Amino acid sequence: MTRKVDAKLVIKRMKLAVRLILPVAMLTLSGCWDSTEVNDLAIITAVGIDRTEDQQLELTVKIYLISPSDIEGSNGMTGSGDTGSGQSVIRSVKGTSIADAASRLQQVLTRKVFWGQAEVFMFGADMARHGLDEVMDFLTRQPTIRERANVFISETSAKEVLALNPPIERSVSDALREMVNLQTCSGTSLMKLSQMMSGKSRAAIVPTVDIIEADYETPFPYISGIAIVKNGAMIDQIREEDTLGIMWLRDIIKPRKTITLEPGKHQYISVQLIRGHTSLIPSIEDDRWKITVRSESLVKIIENTTDRDYSIPDHLDQLEAELADHINRNINQAIDLAQQKWKADIYQFADVFHRAYPKIWARQKDRWEELFPKVEVKLETNVIIRRPGMTGKNIFKPGQR
Amino acid sequence: MIEKGKISSYQLGKMMYLAIIPTAILTSPGITFQYARQDLWISPLWAFTGVIVVLVILRLHHWFPGQSFTHIWERVAGRTVGRTIGAIYWIFYLYVNGIIVREYGEFIVGAFLLNTPLIVITGSIVLVCAMAVRGGVEIVGRFADLFLPAFIVLFLLILLPIIPDLNIEQMLPVMGQGIMPSITGSFVLQIWFSELMTISYLLPYVHDHDKTGPSIWLTLIAIILTLLISNLFTLLLLGDLTGSYTFPFLILARYINLQDFFTHLESLFMAIWVLCAFVKICVFYYVTVLGAAQSMGLSDYRPIVWPLGFLLTVFSLWVAPNYQELAHAISMSVVFAMLTMFLVLPVLLWFIAWLKTSGSRRSQRSDDARSLRGSSQ
Amino acid sequence: MEFATILGIAVVLVTIAVFEGRQLRAHQRRERYAMITLCILGGILAAMLVYNLEMPGPTQFIETVYRPLSEAFEQWAEERSLQP
Amino acid sequence: MITVSHILSRLLRSGQRRSAQAEQSIHHLQVQADLSEELHVNVELLRNIYADCSDIIFHEFVIGGRTRAVLIYIDGLINVEEIDRHVLAPLQRDNLDEHSLSNIRRTIPVTSITTVKTPVDAIEAISNGRPVLLVEKEPQGLSFGLSEWEKRAIEEPTSESVLKGPREGFIESIRTNTALLRRKVRSPNLKIRMIRKGNYTRTSIAIAYIDGIASPALVEEVMRRLQPIEIDGILESTYIEELIEDNPFSLFPQMLATERPDVAAAYLLEGCVVLLVDGSPSVRIAPITMYSLLQSPEDYYERYFIGSAIRWLRYLFFAISLLGPSLYVAILTFHQEMIPTPLLLTMARSREQIPFPALIEALLMETMFEALREAGARLPKQIGSAVSIVGALVIGQAAISAGIVSSPMVMVVAITGIASFMSPRFNIGITVRLLRFPMMFLAGFLGFLGVILGIIIILNHLLTLRSFGVPYLSPLAPMRNRDLKDVLIRVPTRMKAEYPHAPADRNHERQSSDLWSDSGNGDDST
């Protein structure tokens, strides 16, 4: 008769609804295990790890500070940043291991430690020399830590660098990140570092950071060079000026890198890189392991205070040769350092050989330690000058020929 | 018939694709890498099991159209054997689904909701799956219809932004140790391919039989391609580290960085994972329920959906006390168990059926086969 | 704590049984029995797990059954020095 | 007789009683019997039935000075002037020999005259505004189609305004509405069946469909569901909708409500059935799919690129209106690593002073927003604007500066609010706004996982839902490639050659299939 709504059906549906909603409601009320309010987080933007004199690890974190009232509550903390100008504070704790220190960190913070936004990991030089393995294991195991975070090794203690408040950027972490992006050498991400450290060559390079203490301004950090890490520990570091060869060999050279030659006294010719590329070509002949480093670069002239007029093609050829020579010298120097001084395969020749000669590599991989210094390196460098800049001859030096 | 709903061949294909892919892209790169090293992307090509299973099942359903796997056993090997095998199968499906639910839970708890109890995660997914399974095969099929485009979009959203970070040299040397490492590496992958055997339970509900073959083969190819791409991308980004991470493909999503703004898109990956895991658990859950109803001779499968859901949740805890043991079992003994159930037994069934039908064909032409089919209805 | 968990399991199972039972028609005797049996089975299993989480499960069973096979495979893989 | 009519009138007046009883009484108590030959008996009966009805006029007069007659009508429902001029005037100055009904009928210059045989007929006619003439010595009466009452002019429906396209809308009168439809679809294949429902209201319901396009099974199904309805009154088409829809417990509307004749005509042409209910300007269309609710008529009046783009925008904001606050809550309380560092720092700063957790904050704001919307909708226009100003101040600036809510949250709520108003149909907008709340709880409980589970639960419901047999998410799931072209994009009109969800045995083509190539050639030649 009536298509009336069956009362039983109503009750059934209602009960079904209650049955579905009730558990959800109960669970919701009983607690949201993982929810954290943003204002209950201690947002770490940079992490520094040092080794103290008493063989402990000191973990320093830079925390973005939200409430000014939080500065006051320094309950037994060892360090406190320059809270006057910045919006960040630092906290540091000591522990026997990094995990230990990390758990202690929570004890001295009123907010939940949040690693998810840490973009910079700074290792103190002492600690780096002692070994990075243990720390790296911790860092790669944490689900919240970013694989893309930048890794640095500081020449002073990491804590000192973190304590800086660079005037332009919001925090020291931003400053370093931006520097890496703009600098002529690539930074090293956490994942790249673990790849290099665990790879076949077990050698890695990490940018180093130092502090410039200018008397006219607050001190600020800058990227000072490259640290060489072998078998998990830093073995040496070189200044930024000497890294050219390494960058060529690792093919991480970026545009805007400038090369300056000095053909005569106080006469300079500078070229800037438009594009540069290096490839490593391996060959094995009767147990003689050889690598051909073939590099190609496009450059443009940005300064010319010499007597020569580089709008003449012959002169350009000559300059190209000189530049190639210069690059060769740098590369040779870098190879010598790696093969003789560090005995560390930071250019990942191991991978190169493995890719080309998998079978030979499989037999010889245990001998790599002794093979590497004996690898012969041949250079094939080619420089092409693309543009002379806006002017041809130096307008202010009519004597150029 | 217990199930009144009908699905199309393409829905079946989509269901199987979504039911196989999620766990495969999540865990397979890590396990395959152990054996295949930088050749892990070749491994999915060795989909022997998939080919055999699909051939056998399609053949069987050609001989016995409209019959489920258990029914075919009953026809071929007698009622007792059929019933026993039917019971073993649904319990095995329950167990495998328990593993899947557990993996799902472990993944969510291990990578996202670190403090949430596992039972809440597994319980909630079983709850929503039970709701879908009660709706029948039609609803599960429509979910597959809806989620496949979503999956493809999200999958591409992870793959495309990561391209600049890939290092093509990581895949060299190709087959440096010959062909064997990649084949050995494909050993674990076989369990995913053999899962295609599940279509045997769903084929009776497909309404357009003429398209079934192409659709299933297309599904197999799509699975191979998806695995190849995901394995390749993982390798090109992580290189030698591929084997070290528990969920290598997750790292891909975490590594994305677009304009410094879209970073850490692992939640996107979670979305993919949950959507597909939902379909996967639904398909296996449905087969469990259907198999149980069939082997118990029930007239309706819906009354046992919730009780089996409860049992499924319990099984997900029972399969292993911790994730390490589970992972170890998955990469070894469970593979053999699944190969037995999903490959050996169907092939055996096919063989017996072939003997019978070819024998009868000689004497009575196809009359016998027809009577075999007819008497079951 | 264990008692509370058992109570929770019982509540869930009774809810399932009652609501599913209501939707069944009188003649669906078989279905009713199947449903209740599965509920009881699940309850027993859950209760056992509450008290002993490490209780040997199906995985152990499968591992025992396939031990010879998996050992053979592992050995084979090792012989080919494919293991890292 | 008096007792009979007494009982009858009591029954009719007592609204408390079951209306079915009243209906039965009318049948049983011989009111259905033919009218008496005695005029005074008939009048007495009707007077009793209409006791205490001050608006019923019994106009007694004499035809041609000989025969007594009574004209019965409801004041305000008839055109008095016409009655005077065309009924009373000819009859009173009459010069007929015999005052039989057939003679009278011939005398009166009115097009619609019907014979009334029973008191029930008379009541029916009177209620519908047709004056009834009862004449001495006649066991029958006449009713005249001279009803006229005040009605609204045809104007643009305020709830569905368009920039381009027809501006007329349905009104409360069902005859006008059917006429509006007929003016759009002039074919005789447009069938409009009429039934009456409502024991007291006696409301007309029209079922319109196009014969040859709509599937006969569908029309049958609609009729089958309409027939058994027994209800006291039908005041709006929603009453009917709720009684005949597939799943009365769903949050989602399974019939489309529109006040626009062009929309109704468009759906008629796609094979749908349109239900018109007297007294309601909004008609109901069935069957529909989810996507019908997200389409605006303007999609088809704009260029198809623009139509498609706007459609996608609408889909996007539909998703935002459902998920906006829950995604915000999920990201803010579970997935902080997803937020770019500078943004997170800004958000953290804005949330620093807020006493509530993000979930509570979102719930608070959303509830506040809903309250404001409701208050604004119910108030007269002048006060309504005041409410919105106060509301904007309360939930906007003041709440932020008082440190009760954070400004990102206000933004999220505002965007969600706008998004929910973007859906062209009010009823789907309100559904989604309602679903937002459980979604927020799920997000606060399990983060993204909760949101995804919530989506799955909603989809599960939508996938099981049907509107008159058509799966609710139909061309997408189950996938029907042929119909997708009007869901994902708005295809050019010349490519829409087939009917969506048409039964297989009917004619599929809605325009000449070679139109595309023909007009292509035509373009080339010009």
Side-chain angles (χ1 to χ4, degrees):
Chain A
M1 263 301 284
T2 312
R3 195 174 177 277
K4 68 183 166 199
V5 173
D6 192 354
K8 269 188 195 159
L9 189 70
V10 179
I11 294 168
K12 207 166 82 185
R13 299 288 177 113
M14 292 282 194
K15 281 181 175 163
L16 184 73
V18 170
R19 194 169 75 191
L20 294 180
I21 293 166
L22 205 67
V24 176
M26 275 161 56
L27 288 170
T28 315
L29 293 175
S30 67
C32 323
W33 298 272
D34 280 289
S35 85
T36 330
E37 298 299 324
V38 182
N39 38 348
D40 293 332
L41 289 180
I43 301 166
I44 296 176
T45 56
V47 179
I49 301 160
D50 283 308
R51 191 171 185 82
T52 55
E53 276 146 23
D54 49 346
Q55 305 301 308
Q56 281 194 318
L57 283 179
E58 184 172 27
L59 176 68
T60 311
V61 292
K62 186 115 183 165
I63 299 163
Y64 180 72
L65 182 76
I66 303 153
S67 146
S69 61
D70 246 40
I71 308 164
E72 313 301 325
S74 59
N75 19 346
M77 260 135 281
T78 50
S80 168
D82 178 12
T83 51
S85 61
Q87 294 157 307
S88 298
V89 289
I90 68 166
R91 292 281 182 273
S92 65
V93 283
K94 286 179 191 164
T96 48
S97 72
I98 175 82
D100 179 40
S103 66
R104 272 164 208 258
L105 181 66
Q106 187 61 77
Q107 288 173 8
V108 299
L109 279 171
T110 54
R111 298 184 171 199
K112 192 177 171 221
V113 177
F114 182 62
W115 295 86
Q117 297 280 354
E119 292 281 9
V120 165
F121 286 83
M122 181 83 61
F123 301 125
D126 278 353
M127 203 219 58
R129 256 180 229 110
H130 197 265
L132 295 170
D133 315 35
E134 182 217 334
V135 178
M136 287 300 290
D137 177 67
F138 175 81
L139 295 182
T140 46
R141 212 175 273 280
Q142 294 306 305
T144 47
I145 288 177
R146 297 187 164 191
E147 279 82 10
R148 207 183 259 276
N150 284 295
V151 185
F152 299 97
I153 290 179
S154 76
E155 294 190 16
T156 58
S157 78
K159 194 161 131 190
E160 276 175 60
V161 179
L162 289 199
L164 297 175
N165 277 309
I168 303 173
E169 294 293 333
R170 175 156 29 194
S171 69
V172 66
S173 142
D174 275 8
L176 287 170
R177 231 156 39 97
E178 291 301 320
M179 274 184 202
V180 164
N181 285 345
L182 295 173
Q183 292 279 322
T184 43
C185 104
S186 301
T188 303
S189 75
L190 211 49
M191 197 184 78
K192 284 269 149 54
L193 180 60
S194 31
Q195 258 170 1
M196 289 191 278
M197 282 172 66
S198 68
K200 295 176 186 65
S201 47
R202 302 189 54 77
I205 56 170
V206 180
T208 55
V209 169
D210 200 4
I211 303 173
I212 288 188
E213 305 224 19
D215 42 3
Y216 48 86
E217 214 179 12
T218 47
F220 57 91
Y222 77 108
I223 294 172
S224 59
I226 286 178
I228 313 298
V229 176
K230 187 191 173 193
N231 290 334
M234 180 172 94
I235 50 170
D236 199 2
Q237 64 185 83
I238 53 172
R239 306 295 304 171
E240 209 265 327
E241 303 85 79
D242 306 324
T243 58
L244 192 62
I246 296 177
M247 288 194 284
W248 276 113
L249 279 164
R250 288 202 53 114
D251 197 20
I252 52 172
I253 196 144
K254 281 190 177 177
R256 289 196 304 278
K257 178 79 191 171
T258 306
I259 305 167
T260 305
L261 298 182
E262 193 178 359
K265 210 168 167 27
H266 298 300
Q267 292 187 345
Y268 299 102
I269 168 99
S270 297
V271 293
Q272 197 180 46
L273 208 63
I274 300 170
R275 203 159 50 240
H277 175 72
T278 315
S279 46
L280 305 178
I281 299 139
S283 64
I284 303 180
E285 290 160 13
D286 326 322
D287 213 27
R288 283 174 61 214
W289 295 44
K290 275 207 291 202
I291 289 255
T292 310
V293 179
R294 186 174 293 161
S295 77
E296 288 188 7
S297 36
L298 282 183
V299 298
K300 62 181 180 192
I301 299 173
I302 53 168
E303 187 195 25
N304 176 15
T305 58
T306 58
D307 291 334
R308 249 183 290 165
D309 174 8
Y310 286 110
S311 52
I312 301 166
D314 286 356
H315 289 177
L316 273 185
D317 290 348
Q318 202 184 341
L319 180 63
E320 280 172 359
E322 281 168 19
L323 282 168
D325 225 39
H326 178 79
I327 292 170
N328 282 348
R329 241 178 295 130
N330 274 297
I331 293 178
N332 274 327
Q333 187 191 1
I335 287 173
D336 280 352
L337 278 172
Q339 282 186 323
Q340 309 312 328
K341 187 174 175 201
W342 305 320
K343 299 195 183 350
D345 179 15
I346 54 173
Y347 314 122
Q348 265 138 26
F349 288 172
D351 288 299
V352 175
F353 280 115
H354 166 66
R355 273 171 207 142
Y357 301 97
K359 297 228 168 79
I360 301 178
W361 172 259
R363 282 198 304 273
Q364 305 281 346
K365 63 181 173 194
D366 299 331
R367 285 179 55 220
W368 180 242
E369 246 340 67
E370 58 177 287
L371 276 175
F372 172 67
K374 291 186 209 147
V375 172
E376 291 170 33
V377 180
K378 204 177 131 215
L379 303 184
E380 285 176 13
T381 307
N382 187 15
V383 181
I384 299 164
I385 298 171
R386 243 308 137 76
R387 282 175 219 115
M390 298 290 274
T391 52
K393 273 172 120 178
N394 186 335
I395 310 165
F396 316 101
K397 274 202 165 187
Q400 273 187 346
R401 265 178 293 120
Chain B
M1 257 204 232
I2 299 175
E3 170 69 62
K4 287 176 194 72
K6 287 278 174 194
I7 51 173
S8 72
S9 295
Y10 288 106
Q11 275 177 330
L12 176 66
K14 288 173 190 175
M15 274 160 80
M16 288 323 295
Y17 176 81
L18 290 178
I20 289 174
I21 282 301
T23 35
I25 54 176
L26 185 71
T27 45
S28 79
I31 304 176
T32 317
F33 185 82
Q34 286 179 3
Y35 301 108
R37 313 296 294 179
Q38 71 283 344
D39 285 344
L40 86 160
W41 59 277
I42 305 173
S43 294
L45 290 174
W46 311 124
F48 310 117
T49 352
V51 177
I52 298 171
V53 163
V54 172
L55 276 177
V56 163
I57 298 293
L58 286 182
R59 203 70 227 149
L60 278 174
H61 282 269
H62 183 70
W63 287 336
F64 305 96
Q67 309 260 322
S68 86
F69 190 67
T70 357
H71 286 145
I72 300 178
W73 268 109
E74 278 183 36
R75 294 288 102 225
V76 168
R79 201 176 171 78
T80 337
V81 179
R83 285 267 156 125
T84 321
I85 286 191
I88 293 174
Y89 261 92
W90 75 258
I91 293 169
F92 188 71
Y93 266 104
L94 186 68
Y95 167 68
V96 170
N97 209 4
I99 294 182
I100 298 164
V101 172
R102 177 60 173 273
E103 268 190 304
Y104 159 86
E106 291 285 353
F107 171 65
I108 299 281
V109 172
F112 298 101
L113 304 174
L114 309 176
N115 303 315
T116 310
L118 184 69
I119 186 76
V120 174
I121 310 287
T122 52
S124 59
I125 193 83
V126 172
L127 191 82
V128 291
C129 286
M131 287 161 72
V133 168
R134 268 190 75 99
V137 69
E138 261 183 357
I139 302 303
V140 182
R142 287 183 201 169
F143 263 116
D145 264 343
L146 276 184
F147 286 169
L148 185 72
F151 167 77
I152 293 174
V153 168
L154 290 173
F155 192 59
L156 291 180
L157 271 180
I158 289 180
L159 291 187
L160 296 182
I162 204 74
I163 287 178
D165 292 298
L166 299 181
N167 181 5
I168 197 84
E169 288 181 348
Q170 306 268 29
M171 69 188 273
L172 297 171
V174 178
M175 295 205 236
Q177 303 280 341
I179 206 167
M180 273 321 276
S182 60
I183 294 180
T184 325
S186 77
F187 169 65
V188 180
L189 283 175
Q190 303 307 327
I191 65 173
W192 282 286
F193 292 122
S194 67
E195 280 175 4
L196 272 173
M197 180 259 155
T198 310
I199 58 170
S200 180
Y201 279 93
L202 303 172
L203 274 173
Y205 310 112
V206 171
H207 63 71
D208 47 351
H209 280 286
D210 49 323
K211 291 183 197 144
T212 310
S215 152
I216 298 299
W217 288 117
L218 200 67
T219 307
L220 183 61
I221 292 170
I223 291 169
I224 293 173
L225 277 181
T226 315
L227 283 182
L228 193 147
I229 291 172
S230 69
N231 280 5
L232 187 62
F233 273 60
T234 318
L235 174 74
L236 293 189
L237 181 73
L238 294 176
D240 290 345
L241 287 180
T242 311
S244 326
Y245 286 106
T246 327
F247 309 114
F249 198 73
L250 175 69
I251 308 296
L252 244 72
R254 288 164 65 106
Y255 207 70
I256 292 174
N257 183 346
L258 270 187
Q259 300 291 312
D260 270 346
F261 191 84
F262 293 101
T263 54
H264 252 225
L265 297 182
E266 65 231 54
S267 307
L268 208 66
F269 183 65
M270 181 170 83
I272 290 188
W273 167 253
V274 176
L275 291 187
C276 301
F278 167 77
V279 175
K280 183 174 188 119
I281 296 168
C282 272
V283 170
F284 279 68
Y285 192 171
Y286 178 78
V287 170
T288 312
V289 170
L290 193 74
Q294 279 172 352
S295 68
M296 290 190 239
L298 306 185
S299 64
D300 188 4
Y301 60 86
R302 273 171 295 179
I304 56 171
V305 168
W306 288 100
L308 277 175
F310 184 83
L311 215 52
L312 174 60
T313 320
V314 175
F315 257 76
S316 76
L317 294 176
W318 196 30
V319 286
N322 57 50
Y323 189 66
Q324 277 70 29
E325 262 183 46
L326 185 66
H328 182 253
I330 288 174
S331 65
M332 206 41 80
S333 50
V334 174
V335 183
F336 287 114
M338 285 178 81
L339 289 180
T340 315
M341 296 299 282
F342 292 161
L343 179 72
V344 177
L345 282 180
V347 170
L348 191 69
L349 176 61
W350 170 80
F351 186 66
I352 302 170
W354 177 74
L355 283 182
K356 284 205 165 186
T357 47
S358 67
S360 64
R361 214 177 297 144
R362 228 164 280 138
S363 55
Q364 300 170 291
R365 297 258 153 231
S366 58
D367 294 352
D368 191 57
R370 203 174 300 145
S371 72
L372 271 175
R373 281 173 226 149
S375 56
S376 71
Q377 270 145 15
Chain C
M1 189 58 214
E2 275 123 5
F3 179 72
T5 321
I6 299 275
L7 201 70
I9 291 168
V11 167
V12 171
L13 284 173
V14 168
T15 323
I16 292 176
V18 167
F19 281 102
E20 285 296 347
R22 285 225 184 142
Q23 293 184 15
L24 285 173
R25 288 189 207 95
H27 63 86
Q28 289 176 308
R29 209 166 264 276
R30 219 185 157 85
E31 284 70 24
R32 196 179 300 268
Y33 288 141
M35 193 235 346
I36 288 173
T37 316
L38 285 174
C39 278
I40 292 170
L41 256 172
I44 294 172
L45 200 57
M48 280 161 76
L49 276 176
V50 168
Y51 285 103
N52 181 15
L53 190 65
E54 307 266 314
M55 182 174 68
T59 310
Q60 275 86 343
F61 172 72
I62 285 176
E63 271 188 339
T64 327
V65 170
Y66 288 99
R67 177 147 305 158
L69 261 178
S70 44
E71 273 171 6
F73 179 83
E74 260 168 2
Q75 208 177 351
W76 178 73
E78 216 158 304
E79 271 169 22
R80 304 194 59 87
S81 74
L82 297 167
Q83 287 276 26
Chain D
M1 215 58 199
I2 291 168
T3 47
V4 168
S5 50
H6 181 70
I7 294 167
L8 187 71
S9 59
R10 250 185 56 193
L11 282 173
L12 279 176
R13 261 182 283 145
S14 64
Q16 307 279 319
R17 305 288 174 92
R18 284 299 308 250
S19 48
Q21 275 178 332
E23 185 84 354
Q24 271 179 352
S25 320
I26 293 177
H27 289 273
H28 279 207
L29 296 168
Q30 294 166 339
V31 188
Q32 209 154 289
D34 289 351
L35 284 163
S36 163
E37 289 204 3
E38 299 293 314
L39 176 64
H40 70 93
V41 175
N42 290 336
V43 172
E44 194 60 25
L45 177 69
L46 286 174
R47 272 193 197 277
N48 271 314
I49 291 173
Y50 280 118
D52 292 345
C53 297
S54 59
D55 56 339
I56 308 288
I57 310 290
F58 287 82
H59 179 77
E60 301 188 9
F61 64 102
V62 182
I63 305 175
R66 286 181 290 173
T67 316
R68 290 199 299 129
V70 181
L71 188 68
I72 310 163
Y73 60 89
I74 298 175
D75 200 13
L77 284 189
I78 59 148
N79 188 331
V80 183
E81 270 177 39
E82 303 258 305
I83 291 274
D84 289 349
R85 198 179 312 145
H86 301 310
V87 180
L88 291 180
L91 284 180
Q92 276 171 353
R93 72 171 122 76
D94 134 276
N95 40 14
L96 295 168
D97 341 327
E98 198 192 343
H99 293 143
S100 72
L101 273 185
S102 48
N103 279 346
I104 294 173
R105 193 179 195 138
R106 250 174 271 131
T107 321
I108 294 172
V110 175
T111 45
S112 160
I113 302 180
T114 49
T115 316
V116 176
K117 287 195 174 124
T118 63
V120 173
D121 287 351
I123 293 169
E124 182 91 39
I126 295 168
S127 309
N128 283 322
R130 298 169 70 96
V132 169
L133 178 73
L134 295 178
V135 185
E136 180 85 78
K137 299 257 167 30
E138 286 286 347
Q140 290 179 336
L142 292 178
S143 77
F144 310 103
L146 291 174
S147 57
E148 187 191 74
W149 54 82
E150 294 300 317
K151 53 190 178 192
R152 195 158 59 96
I154 294 177
E155 53 196 28
E156 185 173 17
T158 45
S159 59
E160 293 173 73
S161 53
V162 290
L163 290 175
K164 238 170 150 183
R167 294 190 195 284
E168 57 191 8
F170 287 124
I171 60 166
E172 285 76 5
S173 153
I174 191 167
R175 266 292 155 242
T176 319
N177 291 350
T178 52
L180 283 170
L181 272 186
R182 183 68 75 177
R183 266 172 52 194
K184 300 259 175 213
V185 185
R186 297 217 167 85
S187 157
N189 279 351
L190 171 62
K191 307 294 182 198
I192 301 177
R193 293 197 204 172
M194 201 59 111
I195 55 170
R196 270 176 202 281
K197 287 290 164 189
N199 295 327
Y200 287 90
T201 55
R202 309 296 304 148
T203 314
S204 315
I205 300 166
I207 302 102
Y209 61 95
I210 296 183
D211 195 21
I213 300 180
S215 125
L218 171 68
V219 180
E220 264 334 288
E221 177 64 23
V222 173
M223 293 308 290
R224 198 184 62 75
R225 291 187 192 185
L226 278 172
Q227 286 306 346
I229 288 179
E230 281 215 20
I231 188 171
D232 281 357
I234 295 167
L235 301 178
E236 221 276 339
S237 34
T238 312
Y239 285 49
I240 296 290
E241 183 186 356
E242 287 195 1
L243 289 172
I244 66 170
E245 64 193 352
D246 293 57
N247 183 354
F249 306 100
S250 174
L251 275 174
F252 288 83
Q254 293 138 60
M255 297 177 87
L256 185 74
T258 184
E259 294 187 24
R260 300 183 59 87
D262 53 333
V263 174
Y267 278 96
L268 280 175
L269 290 171
E270 289 189 356
C272 294
V273 167
V274 173
L275 288 183
L276 302 99
V277 173
D278 195 19
S280 158
S282 98
V283 306
R284 289 299 192 274
I285 299 165
I288 54 157
T289 61
M290 178 87 177
Y291 315 103
S292 328
L293 295 165
L294 295 173
Q295 290 172 359
S296 153
E298 210 159 353
D299 293 357
Y300 297 93
Y301 304 151
E302 293 283 357
R303 305 271 313 144
Y304 55 87
F305 289 121
I306 299 156
S308 304
I310 289 178
R311 190 167 282 181
W312 273 99
L313 190 73
R314 213 177 281 133
Y315 291 159
L316 173 71
F317 273 77
F318 178 74
I320 289 179
S321 73
L322 177 63
L323 302 175
S326 40
L327 283 185
Y328 179 74
V329 168
I331 292 181
L332 207 63
T333 53
F334 282 86
H335 309 282
Q336 291 97 351
E337 75 281 345
M338 260 188 87
I339 315 173
T341 316
L343 188 60
L344 177 66
L345 300 184
T346 317
M347 278 181 171
R349 195 181 314 136
S350 74
R351 280 203 42 81
E352 187 53 38
Q353 301 295 323
I354 313 299
F356 310 109
L359 174 64
I360 305 293
E361 195 191 354
L363 286 173
L364 197 77
M365 289 299 289
E366 287 291 342
T367 319
M368 195 65 217
F369 173 79
E370 289 302 314
L372 271 172
R373 186 198 54 75
E374 183 60 21
R378 297 286 160 261
L379 283 174
K381 274 209 178 76
Q382 298 84 346
I383 311 176
S385 60
V387 166
S388 53
I389 293 168
V390 172
L393 283 176
V394 167
I395 68 171
Q397 203 50 49
I400 296 171
S401 52
I404 294 178
V405 292
S406 61
S407 32
M409 181 60 83
V410 172
M411 269 179 63
V412 170
V413 170
I415 292 171
T416 324
I418 290 169
S420 75
F421 290 132
M422 248 181 94
S423 64
R425 305 280 158 210
F426 177 74
N427 43 8
I428 187 81
I430 200 115
T431 303
V432 168
R433 282 210 291 274
L434 209 62
L435 283 174
R436 204 144 76 195
F437 288 89
M439 290 299 281
M440 275 189 269
F441 271 111
L442 281 171
F445 167 52
L446 284 175
F448 267 177
L449 180 65
V451 176
I452 296 167
L453 291 181
I455 293 175
I456 292 179
I457 292 175
I458 293 175
L459 283 179
N460 191 40
H461 171 70
L462 288 178
L463 287 174
T464 41
L465 195 61
R466 280 165 180 270
S467 160
F468 286 83
V470 174
Y472 204 55
L473 292 179
S474 148
L476 264 189
M479 185 90 84
R480 288 160 61 102
N481 290 332
R482 208 187 55 182
D483 296 344
L484 272 181
K485 60 175 185 268
D486 204 31
V487 168
L488 298 183
I489 53 167
R490 198 286 259 178
V491 292
T493 311
R494 58 175 62 187
M495 285 164 71
K496 278 197 304 189
E498 289 166 331
Y499 295 112
H501 42 75
D505 54 328
R506 313 288 288 192
N507 174 22
H508 283 178
E509 303 202 339
R510 65 198 324 198
Q511 51 178 291
S512 148
S513 56
D514 50 10
L515 180 81
W516 183 244
S517 50
D518 276 2
S519 54
N521 294 339
D523 287 348
D524 287 346
S525 59
T526 45

